[in-house]
Amino acid sequence: MVEEFVDGTELSVQAVARDGAAEILTLCEKLTTTEHDGPLYSFREAGHVAYPGAEVDARVRGFVDACVAAVGYANGPFHVDLIRGADGALDLLEMGFRLSGMGITELIERTTGRDWGDDALGAHLGERRAPVTAAPRPYTGQATLRHADELAAAESLPSTGGLRVEIQYLRPPTLPADWSAGVPESLRADVTRHAAALARVVIAAPDPTRVTRALETCLTTSAPVPV
């Protein structure tokens, strides 16, 4: 509820703590949608565009350091979700002490060449890793596609001019006809949001703006935006 009503750019930081010090692997800008499925109103994180940790500005880095210090987190993986307002102010949404889902670990590896799971284990074993460098690979983003027109838009994107498009087709689970019997209506949105995806589109390009515009094209029913 908070995430939906705080104005600004949604961000998430993926990182590893070692001896209480945070190393940021990636910063993701989120793409969100609001959807209606019958009587249900659903706010959804639909996509992420990843930047290497070396490109994170001092303000965000200091915010993450403050979060780690506040909870006394010594070693292991974590993520911080926040919103950056028009004035640059940062609002905390949540901090989680785990690897993220929705293919984020794969997105980190594509963007930085680092394995978040290996880094997390290494932190507990006292291993040190080389720092993440700026833009060692093309910027990469991804979006979850729930509707046929979104999938069609992704399939029509050309892999030209440095833009690389990959579609990972998903198979939604087969649910029994009476699966929702006895389930509160408020909880059915979770199935709609997480179990009804048709595919995930992964897009890479030398310019992160092109990645964002291409993903936005897939998530809208309006005319495609030139990418």
Side-chain angles (χ1 to χ4, degrees):
M1 292 175 65
V2 173
E3 184 177 8
E4 183 177 351
F5 293 106
V6 178
D7 292 329
T9 301
E10 296 212 30
L11 308 172
S12 64
V13 171
Q14 295 74 40
V16 175
R18 289 186 175 84
D19 297 326
E23 180 192 8
I24 297 175
L25 300 180
T26 50
L27 169 76
C28 290
E29 289 192 359
K30 297 183 186 180
L31 303 177
T32 63
T33 63
T34 52
E35 302 172 346
H36 293 269
D37 289 289
L40 300 178
Y41 175 80
S42 177
F43 176 78
R44 181 170 70 95
E45 292 182 8
H48 298 77
V49 179
Y51 294 72
E55 297 188 13
V56 174
D57 61 51
R59 193 168 196 172
V60 172
R61 191 172 298 276
F63 190 92
V64 171
D65 288 341
C67 289
V68 171
V71 299
Y73 193 55
N75 294 292
F78 70 95
H79 71 268
V80 178
D81 289 350
L82 56 151
I83 292 181
R84 180 167 53 205
D87 59 355
L90 302 174
D91 290 300
L92 175 66
L93 292 175
E94 70 171 28
M95 183 177 183
F97 309 100
R98 56 175 175 80
L99 304 182
S100 298
M102 296 180 64
I104 298 298
T105 53
E106 180 182 349
L107 195 61
I108 291 173
E109 187 166 6
R110 288 174 181 262
T111 304
T112 67
R114 296 276 287 274
D115 186 305
W116 196 12
D118 283 351
D119 279 3
L121 290 174
H124 289 289
L125 295 173
E127 297 177 358
R128 299 291 171 181
R129 301 293 175 93
V132 177
T133 57
R137 302 180 176 202
Y139 294 91
T140 309
Q142 64 179 29
T144 302
L145 310 176
R146 294 186 55 248
H147 305 290
D149 56 347
E150 293 177 336
L151 178 56
E155 291 173 331
S156 68
L157 282 174
S159 291
T160 59
L163 192 76
R164 298 207 305 266
V165 181
E166 174 187 338
I167 298 176
Q168 301 171 349
Y169 294 92
L170 307 175
R171 180 177 295 177
T174 301
L175 299 174
D178 62 346
W179 72 268
S180 62
V183 177
E185 189 172 276
S186 60
L187 297 181
R188 296 178 199 173
D190 287 336
V191 175
T192 300
R193 227 182 354 251
H194 300 300
L198 300 177
R200 178 182 295 123
V201 60
V202 182
I203 297 176
D207 179 358
T209 302
R210 293 189 67 203
V211 175
T212 300
R213 293 174 67 185
L215 292 175
E216 289 175 340
T217 295
C218 299
L219 294 172
T220 181
T221 56
S222 61
V225 179
V227 294

